[in-house]
Amino acid sequence: MKWLDDLLKGKPEPDAPTPGGVPKLQDAAPSTNSPGLAPGSRVWVRSEDAEEAPFALAVVLQTRPEQRTISCKGEDGATLLVPVDAVSPANAAIQDDCEDIAQLSHLSEPSLFHLVQLRYRRRRQIYTRAGPILLALNPFCRVDQLYSCSAIEAYAAAAGGGTTDAASGLAPHVYEIAAAAYEDLRRRSRSQSVIINGESGAGKTETAKIILKFLTQTAVGASAGAGSAVAGSAAAGSDLSQRLHQSSPVLESFGNCRTARNDNSSRFGKLVKLHFSSAGALLGGSVARYLLEKSRVVAPEEGERSYHSFYQLCAGAGAELRQPLGLADPAHAAEDFFYLMRGKCLAVDGVDDAANFGEVSEALGALLMAGGEGQDEVWRCLGAILHLGNVEFEVEGEGEAEGEVEQVQRRSVEGARGAAVVSAGSLAALPRVAELLGVGCEPLSTCLLKRTIVAGTELCELRKSCAEAEAARDALAKALYERLFDFLVETINRSLASDGGVAGRGAVAGGGAVAGRASGRAAGGGGAVGGANVICLLDIFGMECLQVNGFDQLLINFANEKLQQHFTRTAISLVQAEPQ
C-alpha cells in the first residue's frame, strides 16, 4: 500500500487510512465546517498557561466561518472566542473511560493525555491499550494490588484459553503482554521479544521486573502441573527463577543511579533472554548489557548521584570492610570522596542505602560468587575507584625555591614547568589505590603521570600536564568500573546458564514505558537452536537532555531514536497483518 510505504519512509499522507482501526494523531487544524466543531461538540482549546495546562476542554457555542473563529464555553463557565487553528475536536464524554485508544473517534495529544489521566484518577488504572501496544503511566507510588498472584493466574488463564483480555473482561495490564508472549511461545514454539521503551522516569525498570515475575512464576507453575513428564523441572525452574530475581538488585545497584527525573534510573541497556522448553518450562537465562554510562562514575551532574553501589558501600559496609577500604563512619564516608561530592547529592529521600547494601551483598552470594573472597574483590574495586578520585595533581616545582625550580625544569623530560606530579595533599590516596588494586605504587604513578610515544624507531616517555593527568585518572576509573560491571554480568550469566541452545533472532514488538509483544514469524525472526525457545526482554535506558551532554548521552539518545523508529515500523506492520 502506498500510504504505508510513505509512512515507513517518513512521508505520511494527510488523508491516509489507518490500519486495523487505529486512528492517527491529528496535527492539522480543522476548518470551521468540520463535523467535530459543530455547536454542542466538545473541543480542546490551547491554553495560555502552556506549562501547567496546555489544553482546556470546552463546548462549541457558535462557529464564525467568515472570521475563522469559534465561540465556546469553558468548563469554568466562561465564554471564549478563539481562532479555529487553536482548537481541535475532543471525544464525546462516553469515551472518557475507553480502555483502548484505538476506539477513540479523535486521537490527538490532548485526547490521549486526557484519557490516561481520567483512567488513573477515576479507577487508579495505570495501563491503557493502544491496539497491539500497551501504554503505562508511572504513578510514582506503589500499586502492589495490581500484581497479586490471583492477577497472574487470571491473565494466564485468559491467554491459555485463547480469549482476549478485552473479551474476558480483564482490564489492560502488562500481564496480558507477558501472557500473550508466553502462550504463543508454548503453543507455536516461536521465540518472542518484548520491548519496553520510554523516557527517563517512565517506569521501564519496574515494568521489566513485573514481566519477569509473571514469566518465571507461570513457567514454574506449568512445570509443576505437567507431572512426571518433566520431573524435577519445577524445582529447577524455581531455583532459576530465584536467581533471576536476585540478579535485579545487583544490576540496579551497579547500573542505576539517581538523576534529576528519576531516583532509580537505569544508565545501561539490557537484553534478558529466558530459555524455555517446548512444554513451557524455564530452562535458563542470560543478560546482555550495552552502552553503560561510564561518565557518571567520575562526573555526575549537580543534583544527581553516581551509581547506587558507591553510596551503598559507604553507608552499609561492616567494620571488617571499612578498615581495609579506608572508609570513615557510615554517616560521613561518602563526604570523603571527590567523585561522589561532585554531584552535591549524597542521600535520596526514602532510600536506605545501608539496607540496600545488605540486599545486594546477599544477592551476590546467591549468584554463586566465590564465597566471601569474590565479594571482597568487588568492594575492593569500588573502594579503589573512590580513592582514585581523591588523587590530585599539581605542577611540578610549585611552592619550591626559584633555584630548585630551575633544577626541576632541567630534570623534566619535556623541559617545561607544566609537568604534573601527585599533590602533597593526596599522597596517601595513591598508595591506597595501588594496595586495593593489587599493583605497585610506582607503576600506577607512571601510568597517571607519563605517556609513551613512538618517534621513528625510538620510544619516548613524556610527562603529562595536570589536565592530562586528571583525564588519565578519570579514564582509569571509568575503565575499572566498566570491567567490574562486565564481571558481574558474566557472573549472573554463569548462574543462569542452561544446557539448552542459544536463542535465535526473535521478533520484536514494543511499546514505550509500555510494552509490546510479537512472535518471531511476524517480524521475520527465527526460533532458537537446540530445541529451546526464547523470550527476549529489552529494557533500554530512557532518553534525557542534560545541561551538558557528553558522548555517552549522545549514544543513549541516538539508540532511543533508532529503537523508536524500529518500534514504529514493527507496530504498523503487525497491525497491517492482523486483518490478513
Side-chain angles (χ1 to χ4, degrees):
M1 296 183 180
K2 183 179 182 300
W3 70 267
L4 183 58
D5 293 337
D6 290 339
L7 184 59
L8 294 179
K9 295 176 183 177
K11 301 176 181 179
E13 295 183 3
D15 300 324
T18 54
V22 179
K24 60 183 178 181
L25 287 173
Q26 300 164 348
D27 295 324
S31 67
T32 54
N33 296 324
S34 172
L37 301 183
S41 301
R42 299 204 308 176
V43 294
W44 292 106
V45 180
R46 292 187 182 274
S47 174
E48 295 180 358
D49 190 0
E51 292 186 1
E52 294 296 327
F55 299 92
L57 198 60
V59 177
V60 176
L61 298 177
Q62 182 183 10
T63 59
R64 302 179 181 181
E66 68 282 356
Q67 301 177 7
R68 291 191 56 80
T69 58
I70 295 177
S71 175
C72 51
K73 184 177 182 180
E75 291 184 307
D76 57 358
T79 301
L80 307 172
L81 184 63
V82 295
V84 67
D85 57 2
V87 302
S88 60
N91 295 293
I94 195 174
Q95 293 185 322
D96 280 349
D97 199 26
C98 181
E99 292 186 341
D100 193 336
I101 66 171
Q103 300 174 3
L104 295 178
S105 301
H106 305 287
L107 180 57
S108 58
E109 181 180 347
S111 295
L112 174 60
F113 289 144
H114 180 66
L115 174 64
V116 173
Q117 184 182 60
L118 284 185
R119 285 180 54 76
Y120 180 70
R121 287 183 174 179
R122 292 178 178 179
R123 297 191 178 185
R124 286 296 184 264
Q125 291 288 339
I126 65 174
Y127 296 112
T128 305
R129 296 188 186 96
I133 309 162
L134 184 72
L135 303 180
L137 170 72
N138 188 350
F140 288 98
C141 65
R142 299 193 65 85
V143 283
D144 295 334
Q145 68 277 9
L146 291 179
Y147 311 109
S148 62
C149 293
S150 59
I152 292 179
E153 294 172 357
Y155 285 91
T163 60
T164 62
D165 297 292
S168 61
L170 294 174
H173 201 292
V174 69
Y175 284 166
E176 71 181 80
I177 297 292
Y182 180 77
E183 282 301 318
D184 199 50
L185 174 140
R186 189 177 64 85
R187 291 185 175 187
R188 304 182 184 182
S189 296
R190 299 194 300 187
S191 294
Q192 310 286 311
S193 288
V194 178
I195 290 179
I196 306 172
N197 194 19
E199 63 181 346
S200 181
K204 300 180 297 299
T205 299
E206 292 301 317
T207 299
K209 291 192 290 186
I210 291 168
I211 293 177
L212 284 176
K213 175 184 176 182
F214 178 93
L215 293 174
T216 55
Q217 187 167 327
T218 304
V220 170
S223 300
S228 58
V230 285
S233 62
S238 179
D239 184 52
L240 278 170
S241 174
Q242 183 180 8
R243 292 201 298 269
L244 186 63
H245 288 297
Q246 286 174 327
S247 69
S248 293
V250 175
L251 291 175
E252 287 188 25
S253 174
F254 289 85
N256 290 25
C257 65
R258 195 257 187 189
T259 67
R261 304 180 62 180
N262 187 0
D263 288 345
N264 189 35
S265 177
S266 296
R267 306 318 299 161
F268 72 104
K270 69 175 180 286
L271 178 69
V272 180
K273 292 184 179 180
L274 300 181
H275 303 256
F276 296 87
S277 69
S278 57
L282 182 63
L283 299 178
S286 64
V287 177
R289 76 91 182 164
Y290 51 94
L291 287 182
L292 178 68
E293 189 183 20
K294 300 185 295 292
S295 60
R296 185 167 295 273
V297 175
V298 301
E301 294 278 331
E302 185 173 347
E304 299 186 350
R305 301 209 307 179
S306 185
Y307 290 103
H308 297 323
S309 54
F310 293 114
Y311 307 90
Q312 292 169 358
L313 175 64
C314 291
E320 70 283 356
L321 271 178
R322 309 195 78 83
Q323 183 176 358
L325 296 185
L327 301 178
D329 64 278
H332 304 285
E335 300 173 5
D336 293 339
F337 299 108
F338 172 71
Y339 282 159
L340 303 187
M341 289 296 293
R342 294 187 76 172
K344 299 180 180 180
C345 179
L346 299 180
V348 178
D349 293 339
V351 176
D352 189 341
D353 288 320
N356 290 339
F357 176 82
E359 182 182 1
V360 173
S361 181
E362 181 181 353
L364 284 175
L367 293 172
L368 305 182
M369 298 288 288
E373 182 181 358
Q375 289 196 44
D376 286 346
E377 295 300 320
V378 172
W379 309 132
R380 286 170 66 89
C381 187
L382 282 185
I385 294 172
L386 291 175
H387 286 287
L388 184 59
N390 289 350
V391 177
E392 299 178 349
F393 306 94
E394 63 186 12
V395 176
E396 187 176 27
E398 281 189 348
E400 297 182 4
E402 184 176 348
E404 294 174 341
V405 170
E406 293 176 357
Q407 295 178 7
V408 169
Q409 287 178 327
R410 288 193 297 270
R411 291 196 305 266
S412 173
V413 178
E414 292 182 318
R417 285 191 63 192
V421 295
V422 177
S423 65
S426 59
L427 285 176
L430 191 62
R432 175 78 72 174
V433 175
E435 178 187 356
L436 292 174
L437 293 179
V439 300
C441 189
E442 184 175 348
L444 178 60
S445 177
T446 301
C447 171
L448 297 176
L449 298 176
K450 299 179 181 180
R451 69 180 185 273
T452 302
I453 64 172
V454 178
T457 59
E458 297 182 359
L459 295 178
C460 297
E461 192 177 73
L462 303 181
R463 298 280 289 278
K464 297 177 181 177
S465 66
C466 288
E468 291 170 339
E470 289 175 356
R473 175 200 64 191
D474 292 346
L476 177 58
K478 292 188 287 186
L480 285 171
Y481 196 82
E482 183 178 33
R483 296 291 182 88
L484 174 61
F485 192 80
D486 286 341
F487 165 73
L488 294 172
V489 172
E490 291 172 4
T491 300
I492 290 171
N493 287 339
R494 284 195 300 269
S495 72
L496 300 177
S498 67
D499 296 331
V502 179
R505 182 183 177 187
V508 179
V514 176
R517 187 274 325 168
S519 66
R521 194 172 301 167
V529 298
N533 293 308
V534 178
I535 294 181
C536 295
L537 181 61
L538 178 62
D539 176 14
I540 189 170
F541 28 55
M543 181 173 180
E544 287 195 62
C545 186
L546 309 174
Q547 285 186 333
V548 179
N549 294 283
F551 184 66
D552 288 347
Q553 194 62 43
L554 171 66
L555 294 178
I556 289 173
N557 291 347
F558 179 76
N560 270 277
E561 291 291 345
K562 296 298 290 184
L563 178 62
Q564 191 63 39
Q565 290 179 15
H566 176 75
F567 157 70
T568 302
R569 290 186 176 94
T570 305
I572 292 176
S573 299
L574 287 172
V575 177
Q576 172 69 17
E578 283 183 358
Q580 302 174 3

